[in-house]
């Protein structure tokens, strides 16, 4: 008898189906539309590397830019790109994108412009000043400000030179060191 009562109750009850324009409320932890801050991005490609479904691609765009593209149709919204981005240039909105509610797919494309190294001229994307200041614990000055405009190879060479100079006291050329070594052995 109780089953018949349930069937009749459901048969004559109003519909519980939502209208097409009525959206289901999004849960608090939902990862919605991806947000990419071009000013904070260095085009390192870490996000593309950790993206299993290959929703993010990072590729050269001409000779002076790097193209960054995200495609919502491939994204699993796992959040690994946001988690592993070294400059925190990637985030997710808390609400689902309006286009996704209608079944459309979203594609984001940004161009990251490269600048010449102040030492060798090689094109690179400098670390954003705010990110570098945050990493170093304060505003940029001295060596940190100078290194910001260097490519990774020149920055590595400059750091190696500073470390070596720290051990030797001052920087000396190979000829100077050889002469000093000759004098210590008694040669003129």
């Amino acid at each position: 008898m109780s089953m018949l009562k349930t069937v009749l109750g459901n048969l004559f009850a109003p519909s519980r189906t939502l209208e097409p324009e009525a959206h289901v409320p999004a849960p608090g932890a939902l990862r919605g539309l991806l947000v990419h801050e071009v000013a904070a991005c260095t085009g390192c490609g870490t996000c593309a590397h950790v993206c299993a479904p290959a929703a993010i691609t990072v590729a050269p765009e001409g000779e002076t830019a790097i193209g960054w593209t995200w495609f919502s149709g491939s994204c699993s919204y796992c959040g690994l790109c946001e988690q592993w981005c070294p400059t925190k240039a990637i985030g997710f909105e808390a609400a689902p994108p309006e286009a996704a509610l209608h079944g459309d797919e979203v594609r984001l494309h940004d161009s990251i412009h490269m600048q010449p190294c102040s030492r060798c001229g090689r094109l690179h994307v400098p670390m954003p000043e705010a990110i570098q200041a945050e990493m170093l614990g304060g505003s940029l000055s001295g060596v940190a400000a100078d290194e910001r405009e260097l490519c990774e190879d020149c920055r590595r060479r400059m750091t190696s030179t500073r470390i070596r100079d720290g051990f030797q006291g001052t920087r000396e050329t190979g000829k100077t060191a050889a002469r000093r070594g000759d004098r210590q052995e008694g040669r003129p």
Side-chain angles (χ1 to χ4, degrees), residues 116-130:
C117 172
S118 61
R119 194 176 216 181
C120 70
R122 184 177 129 208
L123 291 175
H124 75 292
V125 179
M127 175 75 73
E129 190 172 343

Side-chain angles (χ1 to χ4, degrees), residues 67-91:
W68 184 95
T69 307
W70 173 73
F71 181 55
S72 70
S74 299
C75 187
S76 64
Y77 298 89
C78 65
L80 286 176
C81 55
E82 178 183 25
Q83 179 182 346
W84 285 98
C85 180
T87 60
K88 306 301 177 209
I90 297 176

